[in-house]
Amino acid sequence: MKKKITLDNNFIFFVITILSFLIVLGLSPTISNDDISISFFICFILLLKSLSYSKRWLKYLLSLLLLYFFGEIVIRYYLKIDDIYFTLVILFLYLYGVARNISVQILHKHCKLLNKIIGSFGLYIILGMMWAVIYSLSIYIYPRSISGLNTGNNIELFVNTLYFSFVVLSSLGFGDILPHTAMMKMLVSLEAMMGLFYIAVVVSTLVNSKSQTE
């Protein structure tokens, strides 16, 4: 029997979708850019399907799509410059909207505990991806801001900054990639603090939800 996506299980589909896309990104050296683009489009549709909807969220998405559409036209056909900066900004805004959508549902009192736990994990991944976008944008602006990072093409750069972001967010600190500039050091410190603060907030929220259900 086909299982429907509801507000009681939507984060299961969300996490499965985002993890599948991360696996595809990890295979980027062995697959074509077209395959990655197709995977990203499928991931985008599935993520939207697994999120709760509100008028504010729909307006935000529509505004973002219109901004991207008209922005690409201006950049490609009139300014004729590299659109990677604009694309990263749009991606960050999209991830921010997804993070906000997840947060609203997680904090809702009617959200089931198991779905809330899985949603918290999904939000953690999205936060790591948002910081990876910030690092990627910083490297395009100033390539020497991070050392030990193999830039390569756009996809390889994002994969490496994503790895670096999760290392910082989880406070692992392997030391293979290091921030160089003062601004980058501040950004890395801020992400590390956010990672620790996030864990504390999630634990307290889940404990509070558990006590309310008993």
Side-chain angles (χ1 to χ4, degrees):
M1 185 177 178
K2 188 177 180 181
K3 196 170 185 179
K4 293 183 178 180
I5 300 177
T6 66
L7 293 180
D8 293 331
N9 62 11
N10 61 320
F11 289 138
I12 297 175
F13 296 94
F14 178 87
V15 170
I16 291 174
T17 300
I18 201 71
L19 288 179
S20 299
F21 180 67
L22 291 179
I23 292 173
V24 172
L25 281 180
L27 297 173
S28 58
T30 60
I31 59 179
S32 65
N33 291 341
D34 291 337
D35 291 335
I36 295 177
S37 299
I38 293 172
S39 301
F40 178 79
F41 179 76
I42 295 174
C43 176
F44 176 79
I45 298 299
L46 293 177
L47 286 183
L48 292 182
K49 189 172 178 61
S50 63
L51 293 172
S52 60
Y53 283 92
S54 64
K55 289 184 179 179
R56 179 179 293 182
W57 171 236
L58 291 175
K59 287 180 180 178
Y60 183 83
L61 273 179
L62 181 60
S63 301
L64 207 58
L65 287 172
L66 290 175
L67 177 62
Y68 180 72
F69 177 74
F70 289 110
E72 281 291 311
I73 292 176
V74 172
I75 291 173
R76 287 179 179 237
Y77 298 103
Y78 292 95
L79 299 179
K80 295 182 180 179
I81 59 176
D82 193 350
D83 64 343
I84 187 62
Y85 302 99
F86 179 70
T87 301
L88 287 173
V89 170
I90 293 296
L91 178 58
F92 180 85
L93 292 175
Y94 169 70
L95 291 173
Y96 166 78
V98 172
R100 189 180 184 283
N101 186 291
I102 296 174
S103 302
V104 169
Q105 187 180 342
I106 288 175
L107 295 175
H108 199 282
K109 62 181 180 179
H110 295 301
C111 183
K112 288 190 175 182
L113 183 59
L114 178 59
N115 201 39
K116 188 172 291 190
I117 293 172
I118 298 173
S120 299
F121 177 62
L123 179 57
Y124 189 79
I125 297 175
I126 294 298
L127 290 176
M129 295 180 72
M130 289 174 66
W131 279 100
V133 172
I134 294 174
Y135 295 143
S136 298
L137 192 57
S138 300
I139 291 171
Y140 280 115
I141 296 173
Y142 186 67
R144 296 183 180 179
S145 57
I146 297 180
S147 63
L149 193 66
N150 184 18
T151 54
N153 55 35
N154 294 338
I155 296 175
E156 187 177 357
L157 173 63
F158 185 70
V159 170
N160 290 326
T161 53
L162 193 61
Y163 158 76
F164 176 64
S165 175
F166 283 117
V167 168
V168 174
L169 190 64
S170 57
S171 299
L172 287 174
F174 289 138
D176 53 340
I177 302 174
L178 298 172
H180 249 265
T181 62
M183 179 58 70
M184 185 57 65
K185 289 177 181 178
M186 292 303 299
L187 288 174
V188 169
S189 300
L190 184 61
E191 185 187 9
M193 288 187 290
M194 179 181 288
L196 293 173
F197 183 74
Y198 179 83
I199 294 173
V201 170
V202 167
V203 170
S204 63
T205 302
L206 293 178
V207 170
N208 184 52
S209 299
K210 180 65 175 177
S211 62
Q212 287 179 353
T213 56
E214 293 179 349

